[in-house]
Amino acid sequence: MGAIVDYFRRKALLKWASPVRTELLPFSSIASVALLMDVEDPSFAEARDSILAWFRSVGIKPDVHYFDFRKLEKNELLTTSIQNTVLKKELNWYGMPNPVRSVDIKADLFICLVDNDLFATRFFSASCRCRFKIGRRSWENSPFDLVVSTGSDATTLQVFNKMKEYMAAISPAADSEKTEDNA
């Protein structure tokens, strides 16, 4: 069954891969960002609030999408918006989320803060229509222009802060003031 699953995954990636050419962008040309976060991450809530506040403080419009693969009890509620959340039960038989969730994402920057290499993560990252993509992990045919690897014990917020450092490093000198942390 592994070969069959791999075959369908490769076909899906070819069919739904973003036609947008990606590149390293200077920080001054970024007006919108799409983030992918994992609700199961222990530091999720704190990281989300801090990251959203930072993007708003520098004038970038954030759009957050979530993976929530937890098994919820009957009386347990989602902590995120259902419109921006991919649930485990929404994945098809070979692990692909609904393509409409990702191909409609059009932003200057895509940041994947999910620390796994599940097919859902790879598919979502490859199919969103963003001009610059940053991720936490690399894999074969990775769609990311920049991969920020940290230790396995690094929190999502620590990884994001490292990503901010790299974005500041690739920006022209005039942009460096915009990337400084105002908190």
Side-chain angles (χ1 to χ4, degrees), residues 96-111:
M96 184 178 92
N98 184 343
V100 173
R101 295 253 191 200
S102 54
V103 297
D104 287 344
I105 297 172
K106 297 171 179 78
D108 296 323
L109 173 62
F110 173 73
I111 297 178

Side-chain angles (χ1 to χ4, degrees), residues 1 15 81 86 102-103 110 117 142 145 156 174:
M1 178 146 161
K15 178 179 180 179
S81 166
V86 176
S102 54
V103 297
F110 173 73
D117 61 351
S142 175
D145 301 303
T156 300

Side-chain angles (χ1 to χ4, degrees), residues 42-178:
S43 64
F44 161 73
E46 175 192 351
R48 178 190 58 194
D49 295 343
S50 180
I51 291 168
L52 290 177
W54 183 80
F55 275 120
R56 289 182 184 122
S57 75
V58 295
I60 295 176
K61 181 183 172 214
D63 180 22
V64 186
H65 300 268
Y66 309 97
F67 278 173
D68 192 348
F69 296 160
R70 300 173 298 162
K71 183 172 180 166
L72 298 174
E73 300 299 324
K74 284 190 175 193
N75 55 353
E76 193 174 4
L77 300 173
L78 284 175
T79 59
T80 57
S81 166
I82 192 69
Q83 288 86 9
N84 289 0
T85 304
V86 176
L87 303 171
K88 188 172 187 165
K89 68 181 180 181
E90 295 174 344
L91 302 178
N92 71 7
W93 65 273
Y94 55 88
M96 184 178 92
N98 184 343
V100 173
R101 295 253 191 200
S102 54
V103 297
D104 287 344
I105 297 172
K106 297 171 179 78
D108 296 323
L109 173 62
F110 173 73
I111 297 178
C112 180
L113 292 168
V114 178
D115 190 23
N116 66 44
D117 61 351
L118 295 175
F119 181 70
T121 305
R122 295 188 324 227
F123 181 84
F124 201 95
S125 300
S127 62
C128 65
R129 276 48 173 158
C130 300
R131 295 176 46 214
F132 179 25
K133 297 181 180 184
I134 302 175
R136 276 182 89 160
R137 282 193 173 205
S138 183
W139 51 79
E140 186 178 341
N141 298 324
S142 175
F144 300 121
D145 301 303
L146 178 65
V147 175
V148 177
S149 299
T150 57
S152 60
D153 59 338
T155 67
T156 300
L157 194 54
Q158 290 170 330
V159 172
F160 178 73
N161 287 331
K162 188 61 90 176
M163 289 177 177
K164 284 192 319 188
E165 289 176 26
Y166 285 115
M167 286 189 291
I170 62 172
S171 295
D175 287 345
S176 63
E177 297 164 5
K178 188 175 181 181

